[in-house]
Amino acid sequence: WIFLFQPWRPLGWVLSIALMAAAGKRAYAGGGPRIGETGKFEGEFKVQQKAPYINHRLEVWEKLYKKYADALASKPRKDIKIELPDGTVKDGKAFETSPMEIAMSISKGLAESAVVAKVIYKENVESLTQCVVADVEEDEPEEDPSEQSVLWDMTRPLEGSCRMELLKFDHPQGQDVFWHSSAHILGQAMEREFGCHLTIGPALESGFYYDGFFGERKLNENDFKSINEHATQICKESQLFQRCVLSKEEALELFKENPFKVQLITNKVPDGAKTSCYRCGD
């Protein structure tokens, strides 16, 4: 599991803030461990594989994802035009044709090497005003939401006519997305082996990291080997990529056993707003 908005290949869990204003009551997280007023972890925790919170999260996710998928299924599949850098124009359907499908129509090699799509929509697209970056350090600048171009998941259907460029790892933005996805694999491996509570896991200029709460456990070289083995297995699983839009209350319920994510959602998601969450694996 990993959380917080960033486009990527299907490699981990991510939670992002989506500013979809709506009237709502003050949202609070109930139950589970928490971060106290002194900033310290309060509650029970033990290092373990197959941590109980994983099953809870999966059960809640299945319900929320069905609700979201049903909503997407009702979106009109209008004809759209996708213009590529060389001037080629591909025909597609809104909420149906994905960058991956366009890449596959060109060559299998391009589809396998493309990391993310860079899209400039030629028409108003509602989702462009729904999300703001939420998985950054307090002193990191957020991206300007007024920017025309947006990085778009390879498997996420396009929503309107647009200009599109497929970015590979040799592009700086492609590298950033790749490292961010890699951080999510690391986080999933940490959860599998230790049942830790993840905090944030951003991409760096030449790599990535993920912070986690392990209680009193101190990691050693053997632990790193175990994490690497899990990460290797996760990559081999070719896990499916799913995106879902949630209310603040739904997000708090989904992550209620992780006090760090609860704190993040509570502080960064305005009441009445929504978030988007990405799932890959467990």
Side-chain angles (χ1 to χ4, degrees):
W1 283 77
I2 322 298
F3 331 93
L4 306 171
F5 176 76
Q6 185 77 10
W8 40 60
R9 304 276 290 187
L11 297 176
W13 281 86
V14 188
L15 170 71
S16 73
I17 304 310
L19 293 179
M20 291 186 280
K25 297 183 292 183
R26 180 72 176 170
Y28 295 95
R34 70 189 188 98
I35 305 301
E37 295 182 0
T38 62
K40 293 184 178 181
F41 179 90
E42 296 180 358
E44 296 183 2
F45 174 81
K46 67 176 181 178
V47 172
Q48 59 182 322
Q49 294 185 352
K50 298 181 179 180
Y53 68 74
I54 293 178
N55 284 335
H56 164 80
R57 196 168 54 190
L58 290 173
E59 290 173 3
V60 174
W61 172 266
E62 293 297 340
K63 297 176 183 178
L64 297 177
Y65 185 72
K66 183 181 185 305
K67 174 183 174 183
Y68 179 65
D70 289 344
L72 283 183
S74 68
K75 299 287 186 180
R77 264 55 175 175
K78 67 177 183 179
D79 293 333
I80 61 174
K81 299 289 185 180
I82 302 104
E83 181 182 345
L84 303 179
D86 64 358
T88 301
V89 177
K90 297 282 188 177
D91 293 324
K93 295 284 187 181
F95 294 97
E96 185 175 302
T97 303
S98 69
M100 181 62 76
E101 291 179 40
I102 298 298
M104 283 294 296
S105 72
I106 298 172
S107 74
K108 183 179 179 181
L110 177 60
E112 292 177 345
S113 61
V115 176
V116 69
K118 188 173 184 178
V119 175
I120 299 178
Y121 278 102
K122 297 182 178 181
E123 57 186 282
N124 292 328
V125 172
E126 182 183 3
S127 66
L128 292 183
T129 61
Q130 294 175 347
C131 296
V132 297
V133 176
D135 58 343
V136 296
E137 299 280 8
E138 292 298 329
D139 58 350
E140 287 186 54
E142 293 188 0
E143 294 181 1
D144 184 353
S146 66
E147 286 288 333
Q148 277 191 307
S149 65
V150 59
L151 296 180
W152 202 265
D153 302 321
M154 289 294 294
T155 56
R156 180 182 174 186
L158 297 162
E159 299 177 12
S161 293
C162 61
R163 300 205 307 269
M164 185 181 75
E165 179 183 1
L166 299 175
L167 306 183
K168 301 180 182 181
F169 184 75
D170 59 3
H171 190 285
Q173 288 177 300
Q175 289 181 26
D176 185 75
V177 170
F178 185 88
W179 291 135
H180 203 143
S181 299
S182 300
H184 293 182
I185 294 177
L186 172 60
Q188 188 180 357
M190 289 159 58
E191 283 193 337
R192 282 188 175 185
E193 179 66 17
F194 304 104
C196 65
H197 292 306
L198 298 176
T199 56
I200 60 171
L204 304 174
E205 289 186 7
S206 59
F208 57 93
Y209 72 89
Y210 217 109
D211 280 337
F213 177 79
F214 296 82
E216 300 298 321
R217 176 66 176 270
K218 305 297 182 182
L219 300 187
N220 56 46
E221 289 299 323
N222 289 331
D223 292 326
F224 297 145
K225 291 178 182 179
S226 297
I227 291 172
N228 185 65
E229 290 174 357
H230 280 294
T232 299
Q233 179 58 38
I234 290 167
C235 291
K236 292 179 179 179
E237 291 173 9
S238 299
Q239 299 172 347
L240 295 177
F241 182 62
Q242 294 177 320
R243 179 180 184 271
C244 187
V245 174
L246 317 171
S247 69
K248 182 175 183 177
E249 292 81 1
E250 290 169 339
L252 288 171
E253 173 62 23
L254 186 64
F255 296 107
K256 73 176 185 179
E257 297 299 329
N258 184 323
F260 303 98
K261 297 305 179 185
V262 165
Q263 184 181 61
L264 186 62
I265 295 166
T266 301
N267 293 341
K268 292 203 170 186
V269 183
D271 290 335
K274 293 189 177 183
T275 74
S276 65
C277 181
Y278 288 80
R279 172 191 176 181
C280 189
D282 50 16

